[in-house]
Amino acid sequence: MSTRLQRLDHLLLTSILTAVCGSDPTPEAPTEDTLLSPSHPVEGDKGLRMLLLQAVLLLLVLPSHGQDTTTKEPGVVPALPSGVCSGWMAGIPGHPGHNGIPGRDGRDGTPGEKGEKGDEGLAGPKGDPGKSGVPGLEGPRGFPGDQGRKGDPGESAYVYRSAFSVGLETRVTVSNVPIRFTKIFYNQQNHYDGSTGKFHCNIPGLYYFSYHITVYLKDVKVSLYKNDKAVLFTFDQYQDKDLDQASSSVLLHLEMGDQVWLQVYGTGEHNGIYADNVNDSTFTGFLLYHDTN
């Protein structure tokens, strides 16, 4: 390594001396023409050059470039290369060299320390609802709650009543007129008029009507009327020397002032309605429920 560095120092010294002395550093004997020439260096110039040369030699003697100076004896100055002139000057520095190619990537460094916790991010969009879970066990029974508020008043406690039940006392002989049932079983509200045989509606609502007729001596054909219109018919044929029964029932909605009654339908040939002290013919009606309007 030290031999290589010495060679480099000698090459550097040779280049400096060449720049100081000229193209050829070997000294030539001066001729008569050169001595007389005005361009020939005088003694003062030689002294200056010698001083510069000694300074360069002194720099070369000092340890440099990491060379091993232990092998050199102290005070020994390396010999100058042959042909070096005694006076020289440093040359102009050369141009910087080109950049070399990039070196290879180094090894990965050791992992750094864990950084500080970052700021909390923005809330994401709401996800889809999940599936319903399995129903849990029934919990313990709770304590009774507070008493609720009082409810609104209900309907009036008034009870609407309308009913009658009547029967015949004698045999009917007249047809096409209301049959007068004069035997009163029930008529507390007096909504049935025994003088006319008609029921008068005083409470609008739904009513139930029925009749049971004893048939004797003739055939029977009776009709239930509502306001002069027959709404129900019953016919029974008399059997010779025997009593028979005919009956029917119906639901009717009545308005205030409507009238309902029974009468023999047609001619007198079908008026076999009969009643005595052991056989009855009855007519009954009553209110099921009233209209709320």
Side-chain angles (χ1 to χ4, degrees):
M1 180 67 180
S2 60
T3 302
R4 185 179 179 184
L5 292 176
Q6 291 176 1
R7 290 178 181 178
L8 290 176
D9 290 339
H10 290 176
L11 290 176
L12 176 61
L13 178 59
T14 303
S15 299
I16 294 174
L17 294 177
T18 302
V20 173
C21 299
S23 59
D24 187 2
T26 304
E28 296 180 358
T31 62
E32 183 180 357
D33 294 334
T34 59
L35 293 174
L36 297 177
S37 173
S39 60
H40 188 271
V42 292
E43 291 298 329
D45 294 337
K46 286 184 178 181
L48 180 59
R49 292 181 180 180
M50 289 302 295
L51 291 176
L52 294 175
L53 178 60
Q54 292 176 0
V56 171
L57 293 176
L58 181 60
L59 292 175
L60 293 175
V61 171
L62 297 176
S64 61
H65 305 289
Q67 64 185 7
D68 187 7
T69 59
T70 57
T71 59
K72 301 291 183 179
E73 296 180 0
V76 179
V77 178
L80 295 175
S82 61
V84 176
C85 67
S86 59
W88 57 276
M89 293 181 63
I92 300 173
H95 297 287
H98 297 289
N99 295 331
I101 60 175
R104 293 181 299 175
D105 294 339
R107 296 180 180 179
D108 294 338
T110 58
E113 296 181 358
K114 184 177 180 181
E116 297 180 357
K117 184 178 181 181
D119 297 333
E120 185 176 357
L122 300 176
K126 185 177 181 181
D128 298 331
K131 296 182 179 180
S132 299
V134 179
L137 300 177
E138 183 178 357
R141 183 175 181 180
F143 296 102
D146 298 333
Q147 184 176 1
R149 66 181 183 86
K150 185 177 181 180
D152 298 330
E155 296 183 1
S156 174
Y158 178 79
V159 179
Y160 295 88
R161 294 183 177 89
S162 179
F164 71 96
S165 182
V166 293
L168 284 178
E169 292 183 326
T170 59
R171 179 170 174 246
V172 176
T173 57
V174 182
S175 60
N176 294 322
V177 294
I179 300 173
R180 294 173 58 195
F181 293 87
T182 57
K183 189 175 181 179
I184 306 300
F185 299 109
Y186 179 86
N187 191 25
Q188 187 174 355
Q189 293 80 33
N190 293 320
H191 292 168
Y192 172 79
D193 186 357
S195 62
T196 60
K198 295 180 179 180
F199 168 78
H200 297 270
C201 177
N202 291 272
I203 303 174
L206 185 66
Y207 287 80
Y208 173 80
F209 295 96
S210 66
Y211 51 87
H212 300 273
I213 304 298
T214 299
V215 180
Y216 183 61
L217 299 179
K218 289 185 178 181
D219 297 340
V220 170
K221 188 174 184 181
V222 296
S223 298
L224 180 72
Y225 279 76
K226 173 185 174 182
N227 298 334
D228 296 328
K229 182 178 181 181
V231 295
L232 186 64
F233 296 91
T234 300
F235 176 78
D236 186 81
Q237 189 175 12
Y238 170 69
Q239 302 295 328
D240 190 20
K241 297 180 181 180
D242 193 10
L243 293 175
D244 202 0
Q245 300 290 328
S247 63
S248 188
S249 61
V250 67
L251 288 174
L252 295 177
H253 182 269
L254 302 181
E255 300 290 346
M256 179 72 72
D258 286 346
Q259 297 178 348
V260 178
W261 66 89
L262 277 177
Q263 73 178 35
V264 175
Y265 188 83
T267 63
E269 297 179 357
H270 301 98
N271 60 349
I273 299 178
Y274 180 79
D276 56 21
N277 57 346
V278 292
N279 296 286
D280 289 306
S281 293
T282 61
F283 180 34
T284 300
F286 55 87
L287 174 68
L288 289 178
Y289 56 85
H290 70 282
D291 292 344
T292 57
N293 298 341

